[in-house]
Amino acid sequence: MEKELLKQVKILKVYSAVLTLVVLAGIFFSFTYVAGNAKFKVIDVERINIVEKTGQLRMVISNQERQHPGIVDGKVLPKRRREPGMIFFNTDGDECGGLVYDGTKKSAGFALSIDKYQNDQIMQLQYNDDTENGKSAKSYGLRFWDRPDNFTAGQLNTKYDSLKNLHNEGVLKASMQKMREEGLVGQDRMFVGKNSDNEVGLFIKDKKGKPRIYLYIDNNNQVIFKALDEKGQPINFR
């Protein structure tokens, strides 16, 4: 009886020691986690989601295959081809800009975009390089757009999808043109940089997307200034 009792006491001591080690290890790793001091020399990963404590998505860093398709009006867009990089999301959960890039012998590009609230990009730092038949066309600079306040990206997507479902290319083009004229579609307004014609300068368009002011140095190193009216005719300053 005494031997059996000693045996049980010994088992209890071993169990107690093991349990103590487990508890201490748990406390240690808990403090390590809270402190956020985990360190890695190299991490190979295909995608990283940056989230708030609530789980709300704020940024995605991803390769091309796993890149996020975007969120508009709280709805995740259908899966689509997007370049690798970073996609940003605002407090409402919608996409609000990003940084994407890629490059091959035929095509290369980089874009850092800032989106208007509930709409598409209004400012973008961009680089494009396309090669066709041995000829390369490069452009790089800062581009600006106007986006409507009363017609969101979500509304535009819904309208476009409904028109596309009609399976009538003529109606689609005519409707999109009408929306552009009404100012419901974003309009390219200004570019500062080097265009594909090797012209370096300032290029400004009006609200309808028509070229109005050009100030640049051309491929022959000549200074060029153009001011155009709404019909594209030169304005003479006297």
Side-chain angles (χ1 to χ4, degrees):
M1 187 71 171
E2 185 177 351
K3 288 184 179 180
E4 184 65 26
L5 183 61
L6 289 174
K7 183 179 179 181
Q8 291 180 0
V9 170
K10 187 176 182 180
I11 292 174
L12 286 174
K13 286 182 178 180
V14 172
Y15 174 78
S16 177
V18 172
L19 183 61
T20 300
L21 288 174
V22 171
V23 172
L24 290 175
I27 294 173
F28 173 77
F29 285 115
S30 295
F31 277 112
T32 303
Y33 173 78
V34 172
N37 291 330
K39 296 181 179 180
F40 307 91
K41 292 189 179 295
V42 178
I43 298 178
D44 291 332
V45 61
E46 295 186 13
R47 172 166 159 171
I48 297 175
N49 294 335
I50 307 298
V51 299
E52 299 288 357
K53 289 182 178 180
T54 59
Q56 181 183 348
L57 189 63
R58 297 308 298 264
M59 182 171 71
V60 169
I61 306 172
S62 176
N63 63 12
Q64 181 174 314
E65 182 181 355
R66 296 184 179 276
Q67 186 58 276
H68 198 288
I71 301 175
V72 175
D73 288 348
K75 298 179 180 178
V76 179
L77 298 177
K79 185 173 178 57
R80 55 182 172 140
R81 184 185 184 280
R82 301 192 83 178
E83 306 302 341
M86 296 185 291
I87 307 297
F88 310 130
F89 299 87
N90 62 24
T91 303
D92 288 347
D94 289 342
E95 182 177 333
C96 60
L99 184 158
V100 295
Y101 60 91
D102 202 0
T104 66
K105 291 182 178 180
K106 291 185 177 181
S107 178
F110 175 99
L112 174 61
S113 302
I114 298 175
D115 293 354
K116 181 178 180 179
Y117 178 69
Q118 290 190 324
N119 223 308
D120 213 336
Q121 72 264 14
I122 56 173
M123 184 166 64
Q124 187 179 81
L125 180 65
Q126 56 182 221
Y127 158 65
N128 295 290
D129 187 351
D130 295 314
T131 301
E132 187 173 352
N133 298 324
K135 186 177 180 180
S136 177
K138 300 182 181 67
S139 67
Y140 40 86
L142 188 61
R143 192 177 295 276
F144 300 87
W145 290 262
D146 269 349
R147 303 286 179 186
D149 294 325
N150 59 344
F151 202 66
T152 67
Q155 290 173 307
L156 179 60
N157 288 342
T158 299
K159 182 66 174 180
Y160 180 82
D161 289 341
S162 65
L163 290 169
K164 196 172 181 180
N165 289 334
L166 296 175
H167 303 291
N168 189 318
E169 193 67 22
V171 172
L172 175 61
K173 289 182 178 180
S175 299
M176 292 301 295
Q177 181 59 34
K178 183 179 179 180
M179 286 194 290
R180 288 191 184 91
E181 293 173 354
E182 294 174 349
L184 299 179
V185 179
Q187 197 63 258
D188 179 13
R189 293 300 305 274
M190 186 169 74
F191 175 74
V192 183
K194 183 176 182 178
N195 62 24
S196 57
D197 294 322
N198 288 322
E199 299 166 342
V200 179
L202 174 67
F203 308 86
I204 302 175
K205 299 179 181 180
D206 63 17
K207 291 182 178 180
K208 296 181 179 180
K210 295 181 179 180
R212 299 300 296 273
I213 297 175
Y214 284 175
L215 176 59
Y216 62 91
I217 297 176
D218 67 13
N219 199 33
N220 296 317
N221 213 32
Q222 299 298 307
V223 176
I224 307 296
F225 174 72
K226 296 179 182 179
L228 309 173
D229 62 20
E230 291 183 352
K231 297 180 180 180
Q233 298 301 312
I235 298 175
N236 295 318
F237 297 95
R238 297 181 179 177

